[in-house]
Amino acid sequence: MAVQLLITDRNLVVQGDPLDGWTNLDATKRFNEPGSGSVDLPARPDVMAQLQPGNRVVVIRDGAVWMAGPMEIPADFTWSVTEEPGWGRVTISFSDDLATVAGYITWPAPASAWTAQPANTHRQITGTNAETIIRSLINENCGPGALAERRIPAFVLDSVAGAGTATTVNTRFEPLLDTCRRIAVDGGRIGFRTRQDLGQIKFGCYAPRDRTSTARFSIGLGNLRSIQAKQSAPTVTHALIAGTEPSMGTTGRTHLQVADTAAAAAWWRVEQYVDGSAANDVNGELTQAGKEEIAGGAAPVELATVTVDTPDLKAGRDFDLGDKVTVALPYGVEVADLVRSIHLQATPDSGEYVTTLVGSPEATTDPQMVKALRTLGRRLGRLETR
């Protein structure tokens, strides 16, 4: 078995011997989202002693850290005289280290104490690329540049990758990871991730690669498990944004239009009103809000494809999270889309089984609920400035 499991504390200090006796490992890495996993173990005293709040699971595959992060449920214990004799069994549920980042919100003045946060102020970063903005937000809210009480232990910034295009951010009390995702989409659809290396948790950005010519999946190649494909009409082609309400004695409210003219020509015009309250377009804030609305209402092929590793094409070796790959549909159409998640299943008896999900974001989430929650979060933050 090429998989090894370790438990560390929050400072990445190993807590005991590698875990043995496990019967089932299930771990999924996700593009720009926290990963998740679980493992079943015998509930021996030496195992239970390591399962303390704040500790982490490290999954090592083929000699390298494949996934690592905090235990969300350190011990789900089961014992029965008929089903689980002896020590019983325990299931650990864990995430990767992006889950820790997800626990933070964006402060408008991150260098100041919570009690000194200013009213009617946003955190703005302009005139630079998406990677620089994301790194700045991470560093000042939970990284080495944050207030001491907000720093994640052993957390540092990874090497600069030079990824992304120029964009801007205007945020206040939004979930930090949601803000980073928004910037990543608007600034060139880049990726970000954490990785454990040399006793540190390193956060970095990267530019997904085009693997459409080398990473190909089809029924004939034997590397497809399932396919579901659907194309729908756009829900937005013209975002009509209204900025800050004018105050007494000022000029009228700013109005701006952002359009996907190609989608409107191919389908039809669909207008959507966007409330840009507490914003103006000095730093492109209204334009960005319109782009987000257009992106959320676009009409791509919604592709949910589960692939399987073969000797000729393996996840992590030939392609990775965020890379664009090609899927050949049975009726002669080829679709290029992003790798959204990589799923590892392993047992001591049957070995490893790795599958990959390729497709649009809608393939892995409830888009309406996710969109509603994230929009609500941004609007609640804007209300704080009124």
Side-chain angles (χ1 to χ4, degrees), residues 285-346:
E285 298 162 20
L286 298 186
T287 303
Q288 187 181 60
K291 288 181 179 179
E292 292 171 21
E293 200 71 27
I294 292 292
V301 174
E302 295 179 16
L303 181 68
T305 302
V306 178
T307 74
V308 63
D309 268 8
T310 65
D312 295 328
L313 190 60
K314 289 189 176 183
R317 186 191 69 185
D318 303 307
F319 62 91
D320 215 328
L321 290 173
D323 289 347
K324 182 176 285 189
V325 299
T326 298
V327 178
L329 304 181
Y331 48 86
V333 175
E334 291 191 349
V335 177
D337 218 321
L338 303 186
V339 175
R340 295 289 173 182
S341 66
I342 300 175
H343 183 198
L344 169 66
Q345 293 176 295

Side-chain angles (χ1 to χ4, degrees), residues 170-192:
N170 184 46
T171 182
R172 176 182 172 89
F173 304 145
E174 293 182 76
L176 176 57
L177 212 56
D178 285 357
T179 306
C180 291
R181 275 190 291 265
R182 175 158 53 95
I183 298 163
V185 170
D186 191 59
R189 300 185 181 275
I190 66 173
F192 55 82

Side-chain angles (χ1 to χ4, degrees), residues 235 296-297 302 361-362 365-376:
T235 58
E302 295 179 16
E362 289 79 5
T365 62
D366 179 347
Q368 296 303 321
M369 180 61 73
V370 170
K371 181 179 178 181
L373 289 174
R374 291 177 179 169
T375 300
L376 179 61

Side-chain angles (χ1 to χ4, degrees), residues 28-106:
T28 302
K29 301 192 294 185
R30 297 181 176 88
F31 179 58
N32 289 359
E33 300 269 2
S36 61
S38 65
V39 62
D40 297 328
L41 291 152
R44 302 190 313 265
D46 63 300
V47 171
M48 300 302 292
Q50 298 185 52
L51 308 185
Q52 301 301 318
N55 283 356
R56 303 166 61 257
V57 174
V58 180
V59 180
I60 299 174
R61 182 178 182 231
D62 297 330
V65 175
W66 191 80
M67 182 177 179
M71 295 186 292
E72 295 185 327
I73 303 177
D76 185 354
F77 174 75
T78 301
W79 180 90
S80 168
V81 69
T82 56
E83 296 180 8
E84 299 289 350
W87 300 113
R89 299 206 64 77
V90 63
T91 298
I92 307 170
S93 296
F94 59 95
S95 184
D96 67 19
D97 288 304
L98 274 182
T100 309
V101 177
Y104 288 76
I105 63 174
T106 58

Side-chain angles (χ1 to χ4, degrees), residues 235-241 258 271-275 286-298 371 375 378-379:
T235 58
V236 181
T237 64
H238 289 70
L240 309 176
I241 311 101
V258 177
E271 297 180 344
Q272 177 66 52
Y273 173 79
V274 180
D275 182 8
L286 298 186
T287 303
Q288 187 181 60
K291 288 181 179 179
E292 292 171 21
E293 200 71 27
I294 292 292
K371 181 179 178 181
T375 300
R378 289 198 296 272
R379 289 177 178 173

